[in-house]
Amino acid sequence: MALVPCQVLRVAILLSYCSILCNYKAIEMPSHQTYGGSWKFLTFIDLVIQAVFFGICVLTDLSSLLTRGSGNQEQERQLRKLISLRDWMLAVLAFPVGVFVVAVFWIIYAYDREMIYPKLLDNFIPGWLNHGMHFKA
Protein backbone atom coordinates (compact mmCIF):
# COMPACT_ATOMS: atom_id res chain seq x y z
CA MET A 1 0.00 0.00 0.00
CA ALA A 2 1.46 3.38 -1.05
CA LEU A 3 1.99 6.16 1.44
CA VAL A 4 -0.09 9.28 1.00
CA PRO A 5 1.99 12.45 0.51
CA CYS A 6 0.62 14.02 3.72
CA GLN A 7 1.88 11.01 5.69
CA VAL A 8 5.34 11.38 4.19
CA LEU A 9 5.21 15.11 4.92
CA ARG A 10 4.35 14.45 8.58
CA VAL A 11 7.34 12.13 8.91
CA ALA A 12 9.59 14.77 7.34
CA ILE A 13 8.27 17.47 9.68
CA LEU A 14 8.77 15.20 12.70
CA LEU A 15 12.36 14.52 11.65
CA SER A 16 13.03 18.23 11.11
CA TYR A 17 11.70 19.11 14.58
CA CYS A 18 13.81 16.36 16.13
CA SER A 19 16.93 17.60 14.32
CA ILE A 20 16.25 21.19 15.43
CA LEU A 21 15.82 20.00 19.02
CA CYS A 22 19.05 17.99 18.86
CA ASN A 23 20.99 20.91 17.40
CA TYR A 24 19.54 23.30 19.97
CA LYS A 25 20.44 21.00 22.86
CA ALA A 26 23.99 20.57 21.48
CA ILE A 27 24.67 24.32 21.72
CA GLU A 28 26.67 25.31 24.78
CA MET A 29 25.02 28.48 26.06
CA PRO A 30 25.45 29.97 29.54
CA SER A 31 21.67 30.20 29.99
CA HIS A 32 21.37 26.41 29.62
CA GLN A 33 23.50 25.98 32.76
CA THR A 34 21.23 28.06 35.03
CA TYR A 35 18.02 27.12 36.83
CA GLY A 36 15.47 25.64 34.46
CA GLY A 37 17.92 25.05 31.63
CA SER A 38 16.28 25.12 28.21
CA TRP A 39 12.84 24.53 29.73
CA LYS A 40 12.54 28.16 30.84
CA PHE A 41 12.26 29.28 27.20
CA LEU A 42 8.81 29.13 25.59
CA THR A 43 10.47 28.52 22.23
CA PHE A 44 12.00 25.28 23.49
CA ILE A 45 8.73 24.17 25.10
CA ASP A 46 6.96 24.88 21.79
CA LEU A 47 9.52 22.79 19.88
CA VAL A 48 8.91 19.86 22.23
CA ILE A 49 5.12 20.24 21.89
CA GLN A 50 5.41 20.34 18.08
CA ALA A 51 7.69 17.29 18.00
CA VAL A 52 5.32 15.30 20.25
CA PHE A 53 2.33 16.40 18.17
CA PHE A 54 3.89 15.30 14.90
CA GLY A 55 5.00 12.06 16.57
CA ILE A 56 1.35 11.40 17.43
CA CYS A 57 0.39 12.28 13.84
CA VAL A 58 2.86 9.74 12.47
CA LEU A 59 1.67 7.13 14.97
CA THR A 60 -1.95 7.80 13.95
CA ASP A 61 -1.07 7.46 10.26
CA LEU A 62 0.78 4.19 10.84
CA SER A 63 -2.06 2.83 12.97
CA SER A 64 -4.65 3.71 10.34
CA LEU A 65 -2.57 2.02 7.64
CA LEU A 66 -2.14 -1.12 9.75
CA THR A 67 -5.77 -1.40 10.89
CA ARG A 68 -7.40 -0.55 7.55
CA GLY A 69 -9.76 -3.32 6.54
CA SER A 70 -9.10 -5.50 9.58
CA GLY A 71 -12.66 -5.25 10.92
CA ASN A 72 -11.45 -5.49 14.52
CA GLN A 73 -13.71 -3.28 16.66
CA GLU A 74 -11.15 -2.89 19.45
CA GLN A 75 -8.48 -1.64 17.04
CA GLU A 76 -10.96 0.80 15.51
CA ARG A 77 -11.87 2.10 18.98
CA GLN A 78 -8.19 2.58 19.88
CA LEU A 79 -7.60 4.38 16.58
CA ARG A 80 -10.52 6.74 17.27
CA LYS A 81 -9.01 7.51 20.71
CA LEU A 82 -5.63 8.24 19.11
CA ILE A 83 -7.27 10.51 16.53
CA SER A 84 -9.13 12.32 19.33
CA LEU A 85 -5.84 12.81 21.21
CA ARG A 86 -4.18 14.16 18.05
CA ASP A 87 -7.05 16.59 17.40
CA TRP A 88 -7.12 17.72 21.04
CA MET A 89 -3.38 18.30 21.10
CA LEU A 90 -3.55 20.40 17.92
CA ALA A 91 -6.46 22.50 19.17
CA VAL A 92 -5.26 22.99 22.74
CA LEU A 93 -1.45 22.98 22.62
CA ALA A 94 0.33 22.81 19.27
CA PHE A 95 -1.53 25.50 17.32
CA PRO A 96 -2.09 28.14 20.04
CA VAL A 97 1.40 27.91 21.55
CA GLY A 98 3.02 27.77 18.10
CA VAL A 99 1.17 30.85 16.83
CA PHE A 100 1.90 32.74 20.06
CA VAL A 101 5.63 31.98 19.94
CA VAL A 102 5.96 32.96 16.28
CA ALA A 103 3.86 36.11 16.54
CA VAL A 104 5.39 37.44 19.74
CA PHE A 105 8.97 36.63 18.72
CA TRP A 106 8.80 38.32 15.32
CA ILE A 107 6.82 41.33 16.57
CA ILE A 108 9.34 42.00 19.34
CA TYR A 109 12.22 41.20 16.95
CA ALA A 110 10.91 43.81 14.48
CA TYR A 111 10.42 46.36 17.27
CA ASP A 112 13.74 45.87 19.08
CA ARG A 113 15.96 42.92 18.25
CA GLU A 114 18.14 43.35 21.34
CA MET A 115 15.13 42.88 23.61
CA ILE A 116 14.37 39.34 22.51
CA TYR A 117 17.34 38.07 20.49
CA PRO A 118 20.56 40.00 21.20
CA LYS A 119 23.33 39.99 18.60
CA LEU A 120 25.44 38.09 21.16
CA LEU A 121 23.28 35.02 20.48
CA ASP A 122 24.45 34.99 16.85
CA ASN A 123 27.72 33.57 18.22
CA PHE A 124 25.86 30.61 19.74
CA ILE A 125 22.80 30.01 17.52
CA PRO A 126 23.21 29.97 13.74
CA GLY A 127 20.66 31.84 11.63
CA TRP A 128 19.09 28.70 10.15
CA LEU A 129 18.43 27.32 13.64
CA ASN A 130 16.85 30.60 14.75
CA HIS A 131 14.47 30.52 11.79
CA GLY A 132 13.72 26.84 12.38
CA MET A 133 12.74 27.57 15.97
CA HIS A 134 10.65 30.67 15.23
CA PHE A 135 9.02 30.03 11.87
CA LYS A 136 6.19 27.53 11.63
CA ALA A 137 4.66 26.58 8.31
Side-chain angles (χ1 to χ4, degrees), residues 41-54:
F41 301 115
L42 189 57
T43 298
F44 181 76
I45 294 170
D46 179 45
L47 285 171
V48 172
I49 289 171
Q50 298 290 331
V52 169
F53 170 70
F54 279 103

Side-chain angles (χ1 to χ4, degrees), residues 5-116:
C6 71
Q7 295 164 332
V8 174
L9 180 64
R10 287 179 180 159
V11 170
I13 291 171
L14 174 64
L15 292 175
S16 83
Y17 277 119
C18 289
S19 70
I20 289 171
L21 278 170
C22 290
N23 281 315
Y24 181 75
K25 291 301 288 179
I27 295 172
E28 291 297 325
M29 287 182 21
S31 62
H32 290 178
Q33 309 304 323
T34 61
Y35 179 75
S38 299
W39 290 98
K40 66 180 161 234
F41 301 115
L42 189 57
T43 298
F44 181 76
I45 294 170
D46 179 45
L47 285 171
V48 172
I49 289 171
Q50 298 290 331
V52 169
F53 170 70
F54 279 103
I56 292 172
C57 287
V58 169
L59 184 63
T60 303
D61 290 341
L62 289 174
S63 297
S64 67
L65 284 173
L66 295 174
T67 61
R68 186 175 293 163
S70 69
N72 188 340
Q73 295 297 331
E74 180 62 27
Q75 287 179 344
E76 293 293 326
R77 189 174 67 78
Q78 295 296 328
L79 181 60
R80 283 194 303 271
K81 282 184 180 179
L82 194 57
I83 290 171
S84 295
L85 174 66
R86 179 196 67 192
D87 294 345
W88 175 86
M89 189 161 183
L90 175 66
V92 174
L93 290 174
F95 182 74
V97 174
V99 168
F100 181 78
V101 166
V102 169
V104 168
F105 178 84
W106 288 112
I107 288 170
I108 295 173
Y109 189 91
Y111 177 72
D112 182 13
R113 178 192 172 156
E114 291 295 318
M115 188 185 320
I116 197 159

Side-chain angles (χ1 to χ4, degrees), residues 17 20 101-102 105-106 129-137:
Y17 277 119
I20 289 171
V101 166
V102 169
F105 178 84
W106 288 112
L129 188 55
N130 177 35
H131 285 281
M133 292 187 303
H134 298 108
F135 181 77
K136 308 290 188 286

